[in-house]
Amino acid sequence: MTDEFEPNFTSSITGIKSPESLFTSQSGSELASILREQACQKIRDSLRDAQKDMANWQGGPLAVSAVPGAGKSTGMAAASAIAIARHQLHSRRQLVVVTFTRSAAANIKLKIRDRLKELSLPQGGFVVNTLHGLALNIARRHPDLSGLNLENSTLVNTTQSHRLIRACVESWIAEHPRRYQILLEGQQFDGEETERMRRQSVLRTEILPQLATTVIHEAKSSGLFPEDLLEMGAMSAGDSYEILAVAGGLYQKYQAVLKSRDFIDYDEMILAALRVLENPRARAIEQKQVFAVFEDEAQDSTPLQTQLLKTLAQDPEHPELAENFIRVGDPNQAINSTFTPADPIYFNDFCDECERQNKLAKMYVAGRSSQVIIDAANFILKWVNESELAGTEPPFREQDIQAVGSDDQQINANPEPLGRGLELYTPRDIYQSIELIGKRVIQLVEEFLPTDFQWKSTEKDIPESGEMRDEENQQTLPLEHLKSMAVLVRENKQGKLIKEVLENPHKYGLSVDLKKYGIKIEDVGERDRHSQVPWEILTLLQFLDRPHSPDYLKAALKILSDRQLIPKQDYNAFTTSPEQFLYPGPLDPKQSDPVKKCRYFCCGLLQARLELPPYQIISFLALALQYDQTELATADKLAERVAIQTIGNNSMSNMLGVLSEIVTSERFEPVEAEEKIEERYTSKGQLTIITMHKAKGLDWDCVFIPFLHDQIIPGSLRVLPQAKFLGDFTLAEVARAQIRASLHKKEAFPTLTQAWEQAGYLKTAEEFRLLYVAMTRAKSLLWMAAEKKGPFTWNKPDNLQELKPCPVMPVLKQKFPDNVMS
């Protein structure tokens, strides 16, 4: 590149007769520029109109609102490569691309590199980061300004059960006995000692840790300090619990503990980077290295994250100019706002502001799905907005998915439907629903098998090599002839049941057998459970080390219950007195059968603790938890790691210290961790079982969505029975709603009742967006079912009862009567 590089890519090139004439009339650098301009134009010509808006970007802000399947990553990669060419970007003046996940970062990086190859440009001029990775890099370059001692600090991902949160709760209780007593008494209290102990257990291990975790993340990611929460609390009318004051106190304790122990959480990375950028000199240094910022999945950004990117995108020499900032996202796919501070309101506001400036690109054309699936998704969007089920604020931005035109270059755009394309079922119960899924999967496989193909099933026949093999007739069928298929569920427990039933059909009285056809079942939730191995082992070891601790006993029982090894129940009733529970005397109250089963299991673990040497205890716990093969391999890897780090001192306390470090530092990877997640989950010829949340960003030829009941989607905010003494709301959700109302600058600060109502609307809106995401994963077949009978709780799937369907199912059947299946 030279200074003669022509920046106006939209102008046409004329007067070029032959390469030879160019060599005689143009310098070599001019020729390179012209040829590169032609290559850029070729890339631009391959894009759809809205994608071209990105490619034609000349600077300043640009919002890109894209529907599912619109090809936003393709447009972003093309726009990135053209911007690098047009502005002659290099390692000291880069385009910064920010994505939501590491896998998305790897994907967009490959696409940009491919485009740069087309332009014969070096693989530089850009960098791709996750947002937290970008923030961490800035903090590292300016340790004196960031305030983080990154070499000696430990990164933690705090959860409700994290020891830091528990320590903060205990410290707050000790310093605020009056407020704690008010919470303990709740709405009414007769002073009975057993009830007092039960409430203490619930407050210390559930309610206050949940409040701390929720509020700290919400407030910190929004730039709020503990003092801000205390000030908000003064505005809350009719709140005898002083919820925000309690939350502010917990937040203060948490920050003090982080600082004293040299811990860093993910939110602290963003704050540290912003502290750096507050310094004029450091800000100028960072901004000079950044030409522009392109942000993907912008609907999931928090206010502080947006502030960070916007600051980096400014020109230090011309701060009066608008920042070079392209934000790409889909507010209708915002599905993280009920458990992160992200909220689609912020990206919607950015889109509205850009639209007023004529800088909004609308990517509404999508070639992923067949027309009937597009029609169903568009219908649901409009119906939900008009129904006001989620309050007066519409959950969706009004933007219809549109099919591509006949001249579109996408191969197999808007494919023909399989069967009716949209199939709506009302099975008898969840087990018939699973059977219908199995039968439909077999139909889909048989449609693409040769008529004389006979599948001879053995365990090794399940396809791993890209083909099915008929050993009897010596035939092979490439899997590329088959379809990709997925079952999308709301929670992992549902997926676990589906796999169990399909792998053991005769046990459940079903007539389908997927093994006969060599169809592999990939349960993504099962793989996720493998990463929980270190935490589960640590929790059980903490109980074995201190069985008299109510907290450790309760945490261990929760794990055993989640693994379905003991009956699920309210453990607060007996974990307040561990000695009485584990070793009841003759005068103690008689234990129920479910409690006895819990006691027998726990006592068995304690007996093994006494009999086994420390180096064998991890392997024993893995067997006791009935881990599968992959989990056992992960546990063996963990045991080996612990053994190496405790050579010379394999005491229980030393093992716990090593395990705690492994869990809190997040440096342990489960066995068989893979990078090519998309390929693994969308392979043809297999049935992938995955949650709706994890399905975002993926697509399949055929998508099955069972269990569409009103209690699942949209469901409702639930107050657990053990927490009812505080009232018909949860402290965490009320606090979150009040903080958001303040951030969104609502006219009136919500009362407890209003905040709880707003929290319910937030959940309802997100659940409908989640269903929209699930529906738009399908290319050729969307299979949906609302069974007449289902379980009240998925911890007990055999306990069936009549259930109301998800509200969208009846209206879908009315709108698409020809797609209702008998």
Side-chain angles (χ1 to χ4, degrees):
M1 293 276 183
T2 69
D3 293 336
E4 290 86 0
F5 186 88
E6 172 57 59
N8 184 11
F9 277 83
T10 57
S11 62
S12 60
I13 303 171
T14 58
I16 300 177
K17 298 182 178 180
S18 69
E20 291 78 13
S21 64
L22 283 170
F23 277 116
T24 59
S25 61
Q26 306 283 343
S27 70
S29 60
E30 289 174 327
L31 173 62
S33 295
I34 292 173
L35 292 177
R36 190 163 294 127
E37 185 174 343
Q38 288 179 310
C40 286
Q41 188 60 45
K42 184 178 179 182
I43 290 175
R44 195 179 286 106
D45 291 341
S46 69
L47 303 175
R48 296 180 182 136
D49 289 342
Q51 292 171 326
K52 289 177 182 176
D53 289 338
M54 278 195 279
N56 293 331
W57 172 77
Q58 298 288 333
L62 176 67
V64 183
S65 187
V67 299
K72 57 187 177 65
S73 61
T74 298
M76 181 177 281
S80 299
I82 291 174
I84 291 167
R86 173 187 293 147
H87 300 284
Q88 307 178 60
L89 303 183
H90 47 77
S91 60
R92 294 183 304 280
R93 183 72 167 158
Q94 292 182 312
L95 173 68
V96 175
V97 181
V98 180
T99 65
F100 195 64
T101 63
R102 291 191 190 95
S103 59
N107 182 46
I108 192 69
K109 186 183 293 184
L110 287 175
K111 288 187 175 183
I112 295 174
R113 284 177 174 171
D114 288 342
R115 289 300 195 183
L116 289 175
K117 287 179 183 176
E118 294 179 38
L119 298 176
S120 300
L121 286 174
Q123 302 291 300
F126 78 102
V127 63
V128 181
N129 285 115
T130 62
L131 205 143
H132 288 102
L134 174 66
L136 187 58
N137 289 337
I138 294 172
R140 276 180 176 155
R141 287 194 288 268
H142 307 271
D144 54 328
L145 297 173
S146 68
L148 296 184
N149 183 359
L150 296 169
E151 292 186 0
N152 299 323
S153 297
T154 300
L155 176 64
V156 293
N157 183 17
T158 51
T159 62
Q160 178 180 331
S161 60
H162 199 285
R163 56 194 174 93
L164 289 183
I165 295 294
R166 296 292 182 87
C168 295
V169 168
E170 295 301 326
S171 179
W172 180 87
I173 290 173
E175 292 187 13
H176 299 84
R178 183 189 67 81
R179 282 183 175 152
Y180 178 65
Q181 185 63 30
I182 292 173
L183 292 171
L184 192 65
E185 292 177 357
Q187 293 188 323
Q188 59 181 8
F189 182 50
D190 58 10
E192 201 273 322
E193 186 60 23
T194 303
E195 175 63 11
R196 177 187 297 276
M197 294 178 67
R198 189 192 71 82
R199 291 188 182 188
Q200 284 180 336
S201 175
V202 176
L203 281 169
R204 289 170 56 247
T205 64
E206 294 182 27
I207 295 172
L208 290 177
Q210 182 186 33
L211 174 64
T213 306
T214 300
V215 168
I216 289 168
H217 191 28
E218 188 82 29
K220 208 170 184 180
S221 296
S222 304
L224 298 177
F225 296 99
E227 296 74 24
D228 297 319
L229 297 188
L230 297 174
E231 187 177 332
M232 286 183 204
M235 297 186 293
S236 183
D239 179 8
S240 60
Y241 297 138
E242 300 176 295
I243 296 173
L244 287 178
V246 174
L250 291 169
Y251 186 4
Q252 282 178 328
K253 292 293 180 186
Y254 176 78
Q255 288 297 97
V257 171
L258 280 188
K259 187 174 181 180
S260 67
R261 301 188 187 182
D262 278 330
F263 286 164
I264 309 168
D265 62 18
Y266 283 98
D267 297 319
E268 193 64 35
M269 291 184 195
I270 306 297
L271 291 170
L274 286 170
R275 284 196 293 270
V276 170
L277 297 179
E278 287 174 359
N279 181 279
R281 183 172 176 274
R283 182 171 63 247
I285 291 173
E286 293 295 327
Q287 289 175 336
K288 283 179 181 178
Q289 299 177 56
V290 178
F291 169 71
V293 175
F294 286 9
E295 180 190 13
D296 193 16
E297 302 292 357
Q299 77 277 356
D300 291 320
S301 279
T302 65
L304 278 194
Q305 292 169 354
T306 304
Q307 180 184 336
L308 172 63
L309 299 181
K310 189 174 181 179
T311 302
L312 284 176
Q314 289 175 335
D315 186 341
E317 297 178 1
H318 300 283
E320 74 282 358
L321 297 179
E323 60 277 355
N324 289 336
F325 193 15
I326 293 185
R327 306 187 69 197
V328 185
D330 181 4
N332 294 341
Q333 295 188 74
I335 56 174
N336 296 310
S337 58
T338 55
F339 50 88
T340 75
D343 194 303
I345 190 173
Y346 301 115
F347 184 60
N348 271 323
D349 287 346
F350 182 77
C351 289
D352 292 341
E353 178 61 30
C354 285
E355 188 168 28
R356 286 189 286 271
Q357 302 175 32
N358 199 28
K359 292 186 176 182
L360 171 65
K362 300 176 180 179
M363 292 181 64
Y364 295 170
V365 174
R368 173 185 293 163
S369 305
S370 58
Q371 187 64 56
V372 67
I373 296 173
I374 291 175
D375 293 341
N378 289 338
F379 171 73
I380 289 302
L381 185 152
K382 287 187 175 64
W383 182 84
V384 171
N385 275 357
E386 293 169 359
S387 69
E388 296 189 0
L389 287 171
T392 56
E393 295 184 11
F396 294 99
R397 188 178 185 88
E398 290 288 351
Q399 50 187 43
D400 278 355
I401 307 172
Q402 300 169 12
V404 304
S406 57
D407 58 342
D408 193 86
Q409 299 184 42
Q410 179 179 336
I411 299 173
N412 198 28
N414 303 121
E416 288 298 314
L418 285 170
R420 301 185 193 182
L422 173 68
E423 298 179 359
L424 306 172
Y425 290 81
T426 310
R428 177 181 64 252
D429 56 36
I430 59 172
Y431 293 97
Q432 186 185 33
S433 197
I434 298 172
E435 182 175 35
L436 289 173
I437 290 173
K439 288 181 177 179
R440 194 69 179 94
V441 167
I442 290 173
Q443 287 176 2
L444 291 167
V445 170
E446 287 182 331
E447 285 180 23
F448 297 94
L449 286 174
T451 54
D452 60 343
F453 190 93
Q454 297 293 320
W455 179 258
K456 183 179 179 181
S457 177
T458 65
E459 194 66 28
K460 65 180 181 180
D461 288 333
I462 294 178
E464 297 282 359
S465 59
E467 64 180 24
M468 283 184 173
R469 181 159 181 80
D470 175 7
E471 299 291 349
E472 188 170 315
N473 297 321
Q474 295 297 305
Q475 290 179 307
T476 60
L477 178 69
L479 294 185
E480 63 189 42
H481 293 299
L482 301 178
K483 298 297 181 183
S484 57
M485 302 169 287
V487 183
L488 273 52
V489 293
R490 182 61 185 84
E491 54 184 276
N492 281 321
K493 291 174 184 176
Q494 297 171 336
K496 186 176 181 181
L497 177 70
I498 293 172
K499 184 175 184 182
E500 162 69 17
V501 173
L502 290 178
E503 289 188 338
N504 303 279
H506 301 300
K507 175 182 174 182
Y508 292 89
L510 305 188
S511 59
V512 296
D513 188 357
L514 300 189
K515 286 184 180 180
K516 179 182 176 183
Y517 292 84
I519 299 169
K520 178 185 175 185
I521 301 176
E522 173 72 21
D523 181 9
V524 176
E526 186 176 65
R527 180 163 293 271
D528 291 342
R529 289 191 290 274
H530 301 159
S531 63
Q532 296 295 313
V533 167
W535 172 74
E536 290 181 343
I537 296 293
L538 171 63
T539 303
L540 291 187
L541 281 177
Q542 287 173 329
F543 160 66
L544 297 184
D545 185 52
R546 295 180 58 194
H548 56 280
S549 165
D551 288 354
Y552 290 157
L553 171 59
K554 184 176 175 181
L557 290 171
K558 177 69 166 59
I559 287 174
L560 298 176
S561 171
D562 289 344
R563 288 278 174 178
Q564 299 183 349
L565 299 172
I566 60 173
K568 192 172 185 65
Q569 54 197 298
D570 179 8
Y571 303 118
N572 295 292
F574 51 83
T575 54
T576 52
S577 301
E579 295 88 348
Q580 188 181 77
F581 162 65
L582 293 169
Y583 304 107
L587 299 180
D588 290 325
K590 186 178 179 181
Q591 293 179 337
S592 64
D593 287 341
V595 173
K596 284 181 181 179
K597 289 180 180 178
C598 297
R599 175 164 65 88
Y600 294 154
F601 204 109
C602 290
C603 289
L605 296 180
L606 289 169
Q607 184 68 25
R609 164 75 176 92
L610 297 174
E611 296 176 354
L612 293 175
Y615 64 86
Q616 289 185 3
I617 197 71
I618 291 179
S619 298
F620 167 78
L621 291 177
L623 292 171
L625 288 169
Q626 298 183 13
Y627 281 169
D628 61 27
Q629 281 191 322
T630 304
E631 289 170 320
L632 287 172
T634 300
D636 287 342
K637 176 184 174 183
L638 179 68
E640 182 180 357
R641 165 88 174 270
V642 171
I644 290 172
Q645 293 188 230
T646 56
I647 290 177
N649 181 12
N650 62 353
S651 65
M652 178 65 82
S653 61
N654 200 26
M655 288 177 59
L656 287 171
V658 170
L659 271 171
S660 295
E661 176 66 19
I662 290 172
V663 170
T664 57
S665 67
E666 302 180 28
R667 284 195 287 263
F668 188 83
E669 290 292 333
V671 171
E672 294 185 357
E674 296 186 18
E675 294 183 0
K676 297 183 179 179
I677 296 297
E678 184 171 344
E679 291 181 19
R680 181 177 186 88
Y681 294 164
T682 59
S683 296
K684 293 180 179 293
Q686 83 173 16
L687 182 64
T688 300
I689 302 174
I690 189 169
T691 63
M692 296 176 181
H693 277 100
K694 279 196 170 291
K696 186 174 179 294
L698 305 174
D699 55 48
W700 293 267
D701 295 313
C702 311
V703 167
F704 300 86
I705 310 178
F707 316 146
L708 288 172
H709 298 126
D710 181 67
Q711 68 172 25
I712 299 292
I713 295 179
S716 60
L717 289 176
R718 187 180 172 203
V719 183
L720 295 175
Q722 60 264 34
K724 286 276 190 179
F725 65 91
L726 289 171
D728 291 325
F729 54 83
T730 63
L731 303 190
E733 291 303 329
V734 166
R736 187 208 300 270
Q738 289 180 330
I739 291 171
R740 293 200 179 192
S742 176
L743 291 170
H744 299 169
K745 297 182 171 51
K746 300 287 185 182
E747 292 182 3
F749 195 78
T751 63
L752 290 183
T753 303
Q754 291 169 338
W756 180 246
E757 184 179 62
Q758 288 175 15
Y761 287 150
L762 177 69
K763 173 179 167 53
T764 298
E766 183 155 306
E767 292 294 339
F768 281 128
R769 288 196 296 267
L770 185 60
L771 178 59
Y772 175 81
V773 167
M775 294 172 65
T776 54
R777 300 309 95 195
K779 296 180 183 179
S780 302
L781 173 63
L782 175 59
W783 187 105
M784 303 173 70
E787 301 78 7
K788 293 178 181 177
K789 287 187 175 182
F792 175 74
T793 170
W794 282 90
N795 293 311
K796 299 178 181 179
D798 293 333
N799 188 13
L800 302 180
Q801 61 184 47
E802 297 282 343
L803 293 178
K804 289 175 60 179
C806 169
V808 304
M809 287 298 286
V811 295
L812 270 175
K813 290 179 179 179
Q814 292 175 6
K815 179 67 176 179
F816 301 93
D818 294 339
N819 300 86
V820 177
M821 312 298 289
S822 60

